[in-house]
Amino acid sequence: MSLAFKILNGQLKNKIFPLKNGAIIGRSKGDIQLKDKKTSNEHAQIIFRDDSWYLEDLRSANGIFLGAVKVDEVLLSPGEKISIGQTEMLVVDYQAPAAEDHWRAKIKWWITEKARALGPAAQTFSPVQAFEPMIKLTFTQGIQLDQHVLLGYGPRKVGSKVLDIILDDPGSPALAFELQPDLGRARFINHSPEFVKLNNHPKTTEILREGDEIRIGETILRISFEP
């Protein structure tokens, strides 16, 4: 079941935020920034567990309220009204806009047409496949702070001297890592384990999960997935 928060008041009134596992809600940090002076910087976290969505308080100053009751954790279902600071949020059913589905279809069409145009020569290249769901790379630290990159297909290369996703940090290796589609998932391939760490470990390859962090020198990238 896909759910979302609909903001009912404040600066973000009527904005819709689809629920994402591991997403942080806060005042000026996190994935959903409420810009509410009564909220903590990292106030609450959205958790998907046992096929259900939960909102968990992160030891915030003012807590989470379900109606008039202060709670540490709440099971989210359509129609529930949650208060964080002075912000009220309604849990609603969510369906991705048709435009997103159209964009995915265009990616698949492009991949198919490129492979057809290359013909036998396509065998000399890494096979291009769609990432499903799409990958969102968010720079959470470094000189590219708050930049986002949305990846709909792979493989993709990341580094300071690649013709793909360029790292501006002068300490970044020419080719830092690669992201490859792997049976509907995204595989991280580390080309510079002495400089690149996945969740603070120099892993050479790993299937990526929501909330994973990739560190390259002073730069940190956070992994999330777009529904």
Side-chain angles (χ1 to χ4, degrees), residues 135-179:
I135 303 171
K136 184 178 182 181
L137 302 180
T138 302
F139 288 83
T140 60
Q141 181 177 299
I143 60 179
Q144 290 167 272
L145 180 65
D146 293 333
Q147 292 184 25
H148 305 278
V149 181
L150 193 61
L151 307 180
Y153 65 91
R156 306 297 295 270
K157 294 182 178 180
V158 181
S160 62
K161 295 182 179 179
V162 298
L163 298 176
D164 195 355
I165 301 167
I166 297 175
L167 298 173
D168 293 337
D169 188 330
S172 299
L175 175 58
F177 64 91
E178 190 171 350
L179 300 178

Side-chain angles (χ1 to χ4, degrees), residues 50-68:
D50 300 328
D51 294 325
S52 297
W53 290 100
Y54 296 84
L55 186 64
E56 180 181 284
D57 183 48
L58 296 178
R59 298 183 179 179
S60 63
N62 293 317
I64 300 170
F65 283 83
L66 180 61

Side-chain angles (χ1 to χ4, degrees), residues 148-220:
H148 305 278
V149 181
L150 193 61
L151 307 180
Y153 65 91
R156 306 297 295 270
K157 294 182 178 180
V158 181
S160 62
K161 295 182 179 179
V162 298
L163 298 176
D164 195 355
I165 301 167
I166 297 175
L167 298 173
D168 293 337
D169 188 330
S172 299
L175 175 58
F177 64 91
E178 190 171 350
L179 300 178
Q180 290 190 355
D182 187 342
L183 299 177
R185 299 173 296 176
R187 178 170 292 279
F188 165 83
I189 298 175
N190 193 344
H191 289 281
S192 301
E194 65 274 26
F195 297 108
V196 180
K197 304 293 186 288
L198 176 63
N199 298 324
N200 292 320
H201 296 288
K203 296 185 177 180
T204 55
T205 183
E206 187 86 2
I207 295 296
L208 292 177
R209 298 185 295 271
E210 183 87 22
D212 279 346
E213 289 189 335
I214 302 171
R215 176 184 285 273
I216 314 100
E218 296 301 316
T219 297
I220 295 179

